[in-house]
Amino acid sequence: MTIPVSIVILAKNEEENLPALAKSIPWCDDVHVVDSLSTDNTVAVAKSLGFRTWSNPFRGFGDQRNWALANCALKYPWILFLDADEKSTPAFAAEIESAIASAPETVAGFYCCWKMIVEEVWLKRCDGFPKWQFRLMRQGRAAFADFGHGQKEADVQGEIHYIKEPYEHRPFSKGWADWLDRHNRYSSKEALERVDLPFNLKEAFSKVGPVRNRALKGIVSRVPGWPLVRFAIPYFLKFGFLEGAVGFIYCANLGYYEFLIQIKIREIKAARVFVKK
Protein backbone atom coordinates (compact mmCIF):
# COMPACT_ATOMS: atom_id res chain seq x y z
CA MET A 1 0.00 0.00 0.00
CA THR A 2 1.33 3.44 -0.96
CA ILE A 3 0.93 6.33 1.46
CA PRO A 4 0.72 9.74 -0.29
CA VAL A 5 3.85 11.18 1.33
CA SER A 6 7.13 12.27 -0.26
CA ILE A 7 10.24 11.39 1.74
CA VAL A 8 13.38 13.56 1.74
CA ILE A 9 16.66 12.10 3.01
CA LEU A 10 19.68 14.32 3.62
CA ALA A 11 22.84 12.31 3.09
CA LYS A 12 26.60 12.43 2.96
CA ASN A 13 28.64 9.22 2.73
CA GLU A 14 25.65 7.07 3.65
CA GLU A 15 26.07 4.09 1.31
CA GLU A 16 26.02 1.76 4.35
CA ASN A 17 22.77 3.06 5.85
CA LEU A 18 20.55 3.67 2.83
CA PRO A 19 19.62 0.01 2.12
CA ALA A 20 18.23 -0.53 5.64
CA LEU A 21 16.23 2.71 5.44
CA ALA A 22 14.91 1.73 2.01
CA LYS A 23 13.75 -1.63 3.34
CA SER A 24 11.73 0.15 6.04
CA ILE A 25 9.76 2.41 3.65
CA PRO A 26 8.15 0.12 1.04
CA TRP A 27 4.99 2.21 1.46
CA CYS A 28 6.56 5.28 -0.23
CA ASP A 29 6.93 5.64 -4.02
CA ASP A 30 8.52 9.12 -3.96
CA VAL A 31 11.86 9.15 -2.14
CA HIS A 32 14.44 11.90 -2.69
CA VAL A 33 18.06 11.81 -1.52
CA VAL A 34 19.74 15.20 -1.26
CA ASP A 35 23.44 14.38 -1.35
CA SER A 36 26.04 16.71 0.17
CA LEU A 37 28.94 15.93 -2.18
CA SER A 38 29.58 12.40 -0.90
CA THR A 39 32.94 10.78 -1.57
CA ASP A 40 31.58 7.22 -1.39
CA ASN A 41 28.88 5.46 -3.44
CA THR A 42 25.90 7.17 -1.79
CA VAL A 43 24.45 8.46 -5.07
CA ALA A 44 24.90 5.17 -6.92
CA VAL A 45 23.36 3.19 -4.06
CA ALA A 46 20.42 5.62 -3.83
CA LYS A 47 19.73 5.28 -7.55
CA SER A 48 19.95 1.47 -7.35
CA LEU A 49 17.24 1.60 -4.66
CA GLY A 50 14.94 3.58 -6.93
CA PHE A 51 15.41 6.91 -5.16
CA ARG A 52 15.69 10.22 -6.99
CA THR A 53 18.98 11.97 -6.26
CA TRP A 54 19.91 15.63 -5.98
CA SER A 55 23.15 17.37 -5.05
CA ASN A 56 23.74 20.47 -2.96
CA PRO A 57 26.66 21.53 -0.72
CA PHE A 58 25.77 21.26 2.97
CA ARG A 59 25.65 24.50 4.96
CA GLY A 60 23.28 23.44 7.73
CA PHE A 61 20.34 21.11 8.33
CA GLY A 62 17.76 23.88 8.12
CA ASP A 63 19.29 25.33 4.96
CA GLN A 64 19.49 21.90 3.32
CA ARG A 65 15.86 21.05 4.12
CA ASN A 66 14.75 24.39 2.67
CA TRP A 67 16.80 23.70 -0.47
CA ALA A 68 15.04 20.35 -0.82
CA LEU A 69 11.62 21.96 -0.46
CA ALA A 70 12.47 24.49 -3.16
CA ASN A 71 14.27 22.26 -5.65
CA CYS A 72 13.16 18.63 -5.40
CA ALA A 73 10.24 17.66 -7.62
CA LEU A 74 8.11 16.40 -4.76
CA LYS A 75 5.08 14.37 -5.80
CA TYR A 76 2.84 14.76 -2.77
CA PRO A 77 1.62 17.67 -0.61
CA TRP A 78 2.87 15.93 2.56
CA ILE A 79 6.64 15.67 3.09
CA LEU A 80 8.47 13.52 5.63
CA PHE A 81 12.12 14.19 6.46
CA LEU A 82 14.17 11.18 7.53
CA ASP A 83 17.92 10.81 8.08
CA ALA A 84 19.89 7.97 6.54
CA ASP A 85 20.49 6.40 9.96
CA GLU A 86 16.76 6.27 10.70
CA LYS A 87 14.10 3.69 9.88
CA SER A 88 10.34 3.73 9.64
CA THR A 89 8.28 1.06 11.38
CA PRO A 90 4.89 -0.31 10.27
CA ALA A 91 3.24 1.36 13.27
CA PHE A 92 4.87 4.72 12.47
CA ALA A 93 3.74 4.49 8.83
CA ALA A 94 0.20 3.58 9.91
CA GLU A 95 -0.04 6.60 12.21
CA ILE A 96 1.25 8.90 9.47
CA GLU A 97 -1.38 7.57 7.09
CA SER A 98 -4.13 8.11 9.65
CA ALA A 99 -2.87 11.55 10.67
CA ILE A 100 -2.67 13.07 7.19
CA ALA A 101 -6.01 11.54 6.19
CA SER A 102 -7.78 13.23 9.10
CA ALA A 103 -5.75 16.46 9.33
CA PRO A 104 -7.85 19.61 8.78
CA GLU A 105 -6.48 22.43 6.61
CA THR A 106 -5.42 24.28 9.76
CA VAL A 107 -2.64 21.70 10.35
CA ALA A 108 0.72 22.71 8.88
CA GLY A 109 2.56 19.61 10.05
CA PHE A 110 3.48 17.23 12.83
CA TYR A 111 6.18 16.80 15.43
CA CYS A 112 7.60 13.27 15.35
CA CYS A 113 9.75 11.41 17.89
CA TRP A 114 12.37 8.70 17.64
CA LYS A 115 13.29 5.65 19.66
CA MET A 116 17.07 5.56 20.05
CA ILE A 117 18.44 2.13 19.14
CA VAL A 118 22.05 1.38 20.12
CA GLU A 119 23.46 -2.12 19.72
CA GLU A 120 19.84 -3.30 19.34
CA VAL A 121 18.90 -1.81 22.75
CA TRP A 122 16.16 0.82 22.94
CA LEU A 123 17.63 3.51 25.20
CA LYS A 124 14.25 4.80 26.29
CA ARG A 125 15.47 6.06 29.66
CA CYS A 126 18.95 7.23 28.70
CA ASP A 127 17.71 9.23 25.72
CA GLY A 128 14.77 10.85 27.50
CA PHE A 129 12.03 9.49 25.24
CA PRO A 130 10.13 11.16 23.66
CA LYS A 131 12.12 13.91 21.91
CA TRP A 132 10.16 15.91 19.35
CA GLN A 133 11.26 17.29 15.99
CA PHE A 134 9.25 18.88 13.19
CA ARG A 135 9.57 16.16 10.53
CA LEU A 136 6.23 15.84 8.71
CA MET A 137 4.88 18.95 6.99
CA ARG A 138 2.32 20.11 4.48
CA GLN A 139 4.07 21.57 1.44
CA GLY A 140 4.20 25.37 1.45
CA ARG A 141 3.09 25.75 5.05
CA ALA A 142 6.45 25.87 6.89
CA ALA A 143 10.19 26.14 6.48
CA PHE A 144 13.28 25.47 8.59
CA ALA A 145 15.96 27.52 10.31
CA ASP A 146 19.38 26.29 11.42
CA PHE A 147 19.72 25.90 15.18
CA GLY A 148 22.95 24.58 16.68
CA HIS A 149 23.91 21.43 14.81
CA GLY A 150 20.28 20.80 13.90
CA GLN A 151 17.26 22.76 12.82
CA LYS A 152 13.97 24.15 14.07
CA GLU A 153 10.71 24.94 12.33
CA ALA A 154 10.18 28.45 10.93
CA ASP A 155 7.47 30.46 9.14
CA VAL A 156 4.82 27.99 10.23
CA GLN A 157 1.39 28.76 8.80
CA GLY A 158 -1.03 26.76 10.91
CA GLU A 159 -1.05 24.29 13.79
CA ILE A 160 1.55 21.63 14.56
CA HIS A 161 0.20 18.36 15.94
CA TYR A 162 1.99 15.21 17.11
CA ILE A 163 2.72 11.77 15.67
CA LYS A 164 3.16 9.80 18.88
CA GLU A 165 4.32 6.49 17.37
CA PRO A 166 8.14 6.69 17.08
CA TYR A 167 10.45 5.89 14.22
CA GLU A 168 13.86 4.28 14.84
CA HIS A 169 17.00 6.37 15.18
CA ARG A 170 20.31 4.46 14.89
CA PRO A 171 23.09 7.08 15.19
CA PHE A 172 25.74 4.48 16.08
CA SER A 173 25.23 2.37 12.98
CA LYS A 174 28.79 3.25 11.88
CA GLY A 175 30.31 2.78 15.34
CA TRP A 176 31.14 4.91 18.36
CA ALA A 177 34.18 6.55 16.75
CA ASP A 178 32.05 7.93 13.93
CA TRP A 179 29.54 9.32 16.46
CA LEU A 180 32.33 11.03 18.42
CA ASP A 181 33.82 12.53 15.28
CA ARG A 182 30.46 13.94 14.17
CA HIS A 183 29.61 15.30 17.59
CA ASN A 184 32.94 17.05 17.88
CA ARG A 185 31.88 19.00 14.78
CA TYR A 186 28.32 19.43 16.05
CA SER A 187 29.58 20.85 19.36
CA SER A 188 31.24 23.73 17.51
CA LYS A 189 27.91 24.71 15.95
CA GLU A 190 26.07 24.27 19.24
CA ALA A 191 28.58 26.52 21.01
CA LEU A 192 28.09 29.28 18.43
CA GLU A 193 24.32 28.99 18.80
CA ARG A 194 24.19 28.78 22.57
CA VAL A 195 26.71 31.49 23.45
CA ASP A 196 24.12 34.21 22.76
CA LEU A 197 20.96 32.40 23.86
CA PRO A 198 19.03 34.47 26.42
CA PHE A 199 18.13 33.25 29.88
CA ASN A 200 14.39 32.67 29.30
CA LEU A 201 12.84 31.00 32.33
CA LYS A 202 9.27 31.33 31.03
CA GLU A 203 9.95 29.36 27.84
CA ALA A 204 11.83 26.75 29.88
CA PHE A 205 8.41 25.70 31.24
CA SER A 206 6.65 25.74 27.86
CA LYS A 207 4.45 22.76 27.03
CA VAL A 208 5.88 22.75 23.49
CA GLY A 209 8.92 20.46 23.57
CA PRO A 210 11.15 22.21 20.97
CA VAL A 211 10.49 25.64 22.53
CA ARG A 212 11.26 24.28 25.99
CA ASN A 213 14.45 22.56 24.81
CA ARG A 214 15.82 25.71 23.17
CA ALA A 215 15.23 27.73 26.34
CA LEU A 216 16.81 25.05 28.51
CA LYS A 217 19.95 25.08 26.37
CA GLY A 218 20.34 28.78 27.12
CA ILE A 219 20.09 28.06 30.84
CA VAL A 220 22.14 24.88 31.31
CA SER A 221 25.04 26.17 29.22
CA ARG A 222 25.65 28.69 32.02
CA VAL A 223 25.69 26.04 34.79
CA PRO A 224 29.16 25.01 36.08
CA GLY A 225 29.47 21.25 36.13
CA TRP A 226 26.59 20.80 33.69
CA PRO A 227 28.38 17.99 31.76
CA LEU A 228 28.42 15.87 34.93
CA VAL A 229 24.77 16.67 35.58
CA ARG A 230 23.95 15.79 31.96
CA PHE A 231 25.41 12.34 32.60
CA ALA A 232 23.77 11.87 35.99
CA ILE A 233 20.19 12.85 35.08
CA PRO A 234 19.52 10.12 32.50
CA TYR A 235 21.78 7.52 34.08
CA PHE A 236 20.67 7.81 37.71
CA LEU A 237 17.49 9.90 37.98
CA LYS A 238 15.85 8.35 34.91
CA PHE A 239 17.16 4.86 35.68
CA GLY A 240 19.34 4.64 32.58
CA PHE A 241 21.57 2.22 34.48
CA LEU A 242 18.83 -0.38 33.87
CA GLU A 243 19.78 -0.29 30.17
CA GLY A 244 23.12 -1.97 30.75
CA ALA A 245 26.63 -1.19 29.61
CA VAL A 246 25.45 0.48 26.43
CA GLY A 247 23.37 2.86 28.54
CA PHE A 248 26.41 3.86 30.59
CA ILE A 249 28.55 4.46 27.49
CA TYR A 250 25.80 6.53 25.87
CA CYS A 251 25.22 8.71 28.95
CA ALA A 252 28.97 9.21 29.40
CA ASN A 253 29.17 10.43 25.80
CA LEU A 254 26.26 12.82 26.37
CA GLY A 255 28.21 14.37 29.23
CA TYR A 256 31.35 14.56 27.08
CA TYR A 257 29.39 16.28 24.30
CA GLU A 258 28.18 18.96 26.72
CA PHE A 259 31.75 19.35 28.01
CA LEU A 260 32.93 20.05 24.45
CA ILE A 261 30.19 22.66 24.03
CA GLN A 262 31.10 24.41 27.27
CA ILE A 263 34.82 24.67 26.56
CA LYS A 264 34.09 25.94 23.04
CA ILE A 265 31.70 28.58 24.45
CA ARG A 266 34.53 29.57 26.79
CA GLU A 267 36.87 29.93 23.81
CA ILE A 268 34.36 32.04 21.88
CA LYS A 269 33.89 34.42 24.81
CA ALA A 270 37.66 34.69 25.30
CA ALA A 271 38.14 35.52 21.62
CA ARG A 272 35.51 38.25 21.83
CA VAL A 273 37.24 39.82 24.81
CA PHE A 274 40.54 39.74 22.95
CA VAL A 275 39.00 41.45 19.90
CA LYS A 276 37.51 44.22 22.08
CA LYS A 277 40.92 44.89 23.62
Side-chain angles (χ1 to χ4, degrees), residues 9-10 23 52 62 87 97 104 123 129 166 189-190 205:
I9 304 164
L10 307 187
K23 189 176 180 180
R52 297 191 66 179
K87 295 168 65 176
E97 183 177 31
L123 298 184
F129 177 84
K189 294 183 179 181
E190 280 288 333
F205 290 95

Side-chain angles (χ1 to χ4, degrees), residues 58-130:
F58 186 85
R59 298 178 183 85
F61 283 99
D63 180 83
Q64 196 78 327
R65 295 195 197 285
N66 290 336
W67 187 93
L69 292 172
N71 293 279
C72 296
L74 302 169
K75 180 178 179 179
Y76 297 111
W78 286 99
I79 304 153
L80 173 67
F81 286 90
L82 289 175
D83 293 338
D85 60 0
E86 296 172 343
K87 295 168 65 176
S88 174
T89 67
F92 178 64
E95 188 162 342
I96 285 178
E97 183 177 31
S98 174
I100 64 174
S102 60
E105 277 297 318
T106 54
V107 174
F110 294 84
Y111 290 120
C112 300
C113 65
W114 66 63
K115 53 191 302 185
M116 175 78 75
I117 306 295
V118 182
E119 297 180 9
E120 299 308 315
V121 177
W122 177 16
L123 298 184
K124 183 176 182 179
R125 297 177 177 87
C126 291
D127 193 49
F129 177 84

Side-chain angles (χ1 to χ4, degrees), residues 166-233:
Y167 55 90
E168 292 186 4
H169 183 42
R170 295 173 174 264
F172 297 91
S173 59
K174 297 180 183 178
W176 294 94
D178 175 77
W179 187 92
L180 288 167
D181 181 57
R182 283 186 286 116
H183 280 72
N184 182 40
R185 299 194 304 270
Y186 294 163
S187 65
S188 298
K189 294 183 179 181
E190 280 288 333
L192 286 169
E193 189 69 46
R194 293 192 198 183
V195 69
D196 294 318
L197 279 177
F199 188 97
N200 193 322
L201 196 59
K202 180 180 179 181
E203 288 190 354
F205 290 95
S206 171
K207 294 181 179 179
V208 180
V211 173
R212 181 175 64 252
N213 291 339
R214 287 193 289 271
L216 287 172
K217 285 182 178 182
I219 295 172
V220 300
S221 297
R222 295 173 166 85
V223 177
W226 166 244
L228 289 174
V229 177
R230 183 67 181 94
F231 163 78
I233 290 175

Side-chain angles (χ1 to χ4, degrees), residues 136-154:
L136 178 62
M137 60 170 287
R138 200 192 296 266
Q139 194 164 175
R141 298 285 292 277
F144 294 91
D146 288 320
F147 183 77
H149 81 273
Q151 75 288 313
K152 61 181 179 179
E153 63 278 6

